[in-house]
Amino acid sequence: MKNGLKEFRVSSSKQIQAIDVTDGIEAIARKEKWRDGVLFVFVPHCTAALVVNEFEPRICRDYEKYFAQLKKEKWEHDSIDDNAAAHVGSAAAGSETFFFVKEGTLVLGTWQRIILMELDGPRDRRVLLEFVKTSA
Ligand code: ZN
């Protein structure tokens, strides 16, 4: 792995699943002693996404329902490997996000969590992190 770039892995257990990865990201931030800067988070996958939002059981089921509804459409890519809805969901929600880190803490709203949206599981997924230090 390139110097500075960190990675951790997440395993999904369902085809469409919201997974809270906040604790895993914060654990790496503590281990690496990241203090003040910008943390870039990226999932190198075409059928998963990163979402920053509340992680509460009912809204998680709503996220899963929202992405599952894409499967009702007829998509051209389904003729290849039958997972176009997962690609479209990933393209719409995005594969990357960033956070401010202040005094060793991720700056998040009260209810905000970092959620990996599995859209074509179950699979093993990678989450990549790059921290860029700024002056405090
Ligand atoms: Zn595909």
Side-chain angles (χ1 to χ4, degrees):
M1 188 62 58
K2 195 172 144 229
N3 187 32
L5 196 59
K6 301 296 171 191
E7 169 181 333
F8 75 96
R9 288 170 187 261
V10 179
S11 296
S12 57
S13 57
K14 301 196 304 186
Q15 185 182 33
I16 296 178
Q17 183 180 7
I19 301 171
D20 189 340
V21 294
T22 315
D23 290 345
I25 290 170
E26 287 180 333
I28 291 176
R30 277 193 304 275
K31 180 169 173 264
E32 298 298 323
K33 299 182 172 30
W34 292 334
R35 288 283 303 163
D36 292 282
V38 180
L39 176 60
F40 294 92
V41 184
F42 177 72
V43 288
H45 302 290
C46 293
T47 55
L50 280 174
V51 171
V52 179
N53 214 296
E54 187 169 355
F55 190 84
E56 170 277 324
R58 290 184 185 89
I59 194 67
C60 286
R61 287 194 291 276
D62 288 337
Y63 303 144
E64 292 165 8
K65 179 180 177 181
Y66 172 84
F67 286 105
Q69 285 178 344
L70 293 172
K71 292 196 288 186
K72 294 176 183 169
E73 289 290 327
K74 288 277 178 242
W75 302 103
E76 292 189 33
H77 178 80
D78 284 337
S79 65
I80 298 173
D81 59 358
D82 200 30
N83 68 352
H87 288 279
V88 172
S90 172
S95 305
E96 75 293 314
T97 187
F98 74 90
F99 300 94
F100 305 118
V101 180
K102 293 291 175 199
E103 299 179 349
T105 302
L106 287 186
V107 179
L108 289 166
T110 304
W111 301 108
Q112 283 182 320
R113 304 292 289 178
I114 308 162
I115 301 164
L116 184 146
M117 276 308 310
E118 173 61 73
L119 301 173
D120 192 26
R123 288 183 193 226
D124 292 331
R125 299 298 196 176
R126 299 163 66 207
V127 179
L128 302 181
L129 308 171
E130 180 76 70
F131 180 69
V132 179
K133 190 176 172 182
T134 57
S135 52

